[in-house]
Amino acid sequence: MKAASPFVANKMETRYVDNDEDNYSDASSSLAPNGSVVSTVPDRHGFLGGTQYLNESKHMISANKTIERERKWLNMTANWDKQMSRSFKKVQNRCRKGIPQSIRPRAWLYLTKANKLLDQKKNLYFKLCDQPGDRKWIEDIRKDLHRQFPYHEMFVDQDGTGQKELFNVLKAYTILNPVIGYCQAQAPIAAFLLMHMPAEQAFWCFVAICDDYLSDYYSPGMETLIRDGNILFALLKEREPKIYKLLKKQSIDPIMYMTEWFLCAFTRTLPWPTLLRFWDIFLFDGVKTFFKMGLIMIKISLPEKSYSDLKKRFPTMCETLEALRNPPLHMLEEERIIKKLILLEIPEDTFKYYHMQQTSLRRKTKETKKIRETDVF
């Protein structure tokens, strides 16, 4: 299904997703020490500056279309289990079109099944917040609070509500799941969720994402992440053999460029409007969306059509990694990238095959290591 095109302003009634465009006339701006533009008035997503700041909304939609989509989503969430069992494809298509901003918190809660956790464990979050927590995790969390979206109005103040709620969500998770504890890459995900919903709801969404969607991603050793990096590399060999050959020749392992993409669920990578649409799809389709976006990011970052051109433009590991870690932002524009994401189909059988292949290789590697250790002793 193709992503909807922006409506032409002079042909029909239009509005921004957030109807606060009049505020922009009062805005002024200055430069932060790092050269970023900082505004006195936040953009429609709450950013005062940084790479995520939008001077104006580019994605305009019909007021009637917005109201119609809101009504459909409210009806769906009112009968969610029935809709998911009987109209699975319809829900998927509506996620791909983009969830209305006003409905997104409720929709994400249902998509992750965090609404059920919320009902089953009422007030547990607040009890966890009241506990002191492990000192080691507490210190690590406090060090990272100021690094999460520092130009967003919610987190700009060190003593503000945003950073306090972020601390509570991350601390509560370490108490709920002490085996995993805290991983630095979890912080931007928790902060991202807090921008969209109250702390208790954000916490249970966070739990669902860490324990279900990204199960074992944050475990010591990160074996699951390494496995998925190898699956991404196998998919790259199948889909983009020239790029695969370049990375292979330069000994660039997937873990060197995809770690932040996958561990942070692309919250540190995609422009904000694109990120929101990506998450609408990710929360429905699951982690396979990461592989699709990963392939798109690699192709966008290394765009040459022939292997010889790739070698000329990216002669060493240094240039190649720089390109992979800094994809061109104009190529990540919402409509362009979401259309690519939807059109890119990877059969479920392909995922299963590569998953089994990597699991088997991992098992053989462990067995070989054990034999060698036995021989030594």
Side-chain angles (χ1 to χ4, degrees):
M1 179 174 290
K2 293 183 178 181
S5 300
F7 289 89
V8 181
N10 62 356
K11 288 187 178 180
M12 59 185 68
E13 180 186 3
T14 58
R15 74 173 183 183
Y16 292 110
V17 176
D18 237 350
N19 198 16
D20 61 356
E21 60 268 30
D22 291 339
N23 290 336
Y24 290 112
S25 61
D26 298 326
S28 62
S29 62
S30 59
L31 286 177
N34 66 356
S36 173
V37 175
V38 179
S39 174
T40 57
V41 176
D43 69 6
R44 64 191 178 96
H45 296 297
F47 286 96
L48 295 159
T51 57
Q52 295 287 13
Y53 179 78
L54 298 174
N55 286 315
E56 59 183 16
S57 175
K58 293 181 180 179
H59 184 52
M60 299 176 70
I61 57 174
S62 158
N64 290 336
K65 179 64 71 175
T66 299
I67 293 168
E68 180 187 349
R69 287 184 178 178
E70 288 171 343
R71 178 181 56 78
K72 287 177 179 178
W73 271 97
L74 286 171
N75 289 337
M76 282 200 310
T77 53
N79 301 280
W80 186 252
D81 290 339
K82 182 179 176 182
Q83 290 289 338
M84 287 297 285
S85 61
R86 296 185 182 181
S87 307
F88 186 85
K89 196 68 179 177
K90 181 172 74 175
V91 179
Q92 183 185 49
N93 287 337
R94 288 180 180 170
C95 287
R96 290 180 170 188
K97 288 179 181 178
I99 302 171
Q101 183 68 22
S102 61
I103 305 296
R104 191 167 269 132
R106 182 180 177 88
W108 285 4
L109 203 65
Y110 279 78
L111 284 166
T112 58
K113 298 181 183 177
N115 62 311
K116 294 184 179 181
L117 292 173
L118 196 60
D119 290 339
Q120 293 164 5
K121 307 183 186 226
K122 285 183 180 177
N123 297 320
L124 176 58
Y125 168 67
F126 300 106
K127 292 175 182 177
L128 294 171
C129 289
D130 288 339
Q131 295 180 38
D134 187 303
R135 182 179 297 177
K136 177 188 181 304
W137 300 129
I138 298 301
E139 290 176 359
D140 288 346
I141 290 168
R142 288 199 186 279
K143 289 176 187 175
D144 291 336
L145 292 177
H146 71 284
R147 300 184 178 122
Q148 312 313 318
F149 307 107
Y151 291 107
H152 192 276
E153 60 181 349
M154 188 171 180
F155 301 108
V156 72
D157 185 357
Q158 188 173 352
D159 298 316
T161 303
Q163 289 201 25
K164 289 177 182 176
E165 289 185 342
L166 179 57
F167 171 79
N168 283 334
V169 167
L170 295 171
K171 183 192 77 170
Y173 182 79
T174 65
I175 299 169
L176 183 72
N177 193 342
V179 175
I180 299 298
Y182 171 69
C183 173
Q184 192 176 51
Q186 292 174 313
I189 294 176
F192 180 63
L193 290 168
L194 281 167
M195 293 179 198
H196 293 91
M197 57 188 74
E200 186 182 19
Q201 294 181 13
F203 173 72
W204 289 115
C205 274
F206 180 70
V207 170
I209 288 163
C210 291
D211 294 356
D212 297 332
Y213 286 78
L214 308 182
S215 177
D216 294 329
Y217 264 35
Y218 307 110
S219 299
M222 295 186 178
E223 288 188 10
T224 301
L225 180 72
I226 294 168
R227 180 204 67 197
D228 283 0
N230 291 333
I231 292 174
L232 177 65
F233 206 41
L235 289 167
L236 185 69
K237 182 179 181 181
E238 178 186 297
R239 300 295 177 113
E240 300 292 338
K242 294 182 293 295
I243 298 176
Y244 170 85
K245 183 179 178 182
L246 179 77
L247 299 182
K248 191 77 173 174
K249 288 273 188 183
Q250 294 180 353
S251 300
I252 298 177
D253 293 329
I255 207 76
M256 298 169 75
Y257 55 85
M258 53 73 69
T259 299
E260 186 173 86
W261 297 350
F262 279 45
L263 282 185
C264 299
F266 290 88
T267 54
R268 288 188 176 277
T269 307
L270 298 173
W272 208 252
T274 308
L275 179 62
L276 294 174
R277 294 283 303 279
F278 172 77
W279 265 60
D280 290 344
I281 297 170
F282 156 57
L283 292 182
F284 185 92
D285 288 341
V287 77
K288 68 180 181 182
T289 317
F290 285 14
F291 296 94
K292 293 169 69 175
M293 183 59 79
L295 289 173
I296 292 168
M297 296 283 288
I298 293 169
K299 189 172 181 180
I300 285 173
S301 302
L302 307 172
E304 300 304 324
K305 293 182 179 180
S306 70
Y307 178 67
S308 59
D309 288 341
L310 280 168
K311 280 203 304 180
K312 287 176 186 176
R313 187 169 173 184
F314 309 104
T316 70
M317 177 191 287
C318 183
E319 290 87 1
T320 305
L321 282 176
E322 179 69 17
L324 287 167
R325 291 168 179 169
N326 298 281
L329 287 178
H330 71 280
M331 295 295 290
L332 299 177
E333 186 272 329
E334 175 187 352
E335 293 301 320
R336 180 200 300 260
I337 210 77
I338 295 301
K339 183 177 180 180
K340 286 179 181 291
L341 187 68
I342 292 169
L343 291 176
L344 179 57
E345 292 292 341
I346 303 175
E348 199 66 37
D349 288 346
T350 302
F351 277 114
K352 287 179 181 178
Y353 170 75
Y354 286 129
H355 184 276
M356 289 175 62
Q357 183 188 64
Q358 290 302 319
T359 302
S360 176
L361 286 171
R362 197 78 184 166
R363 191 187 310 116
K364 287 178 182 177
T365 301
K366 285 184 176 180
E367 288 172 356
T368 303
K369 186 178 178 182
K370 279 184 180 179
I371 291 169
R372 286 174 179 170
E373 287 174 352
T374 303
D375 290 342
V376 169
F377 293 105

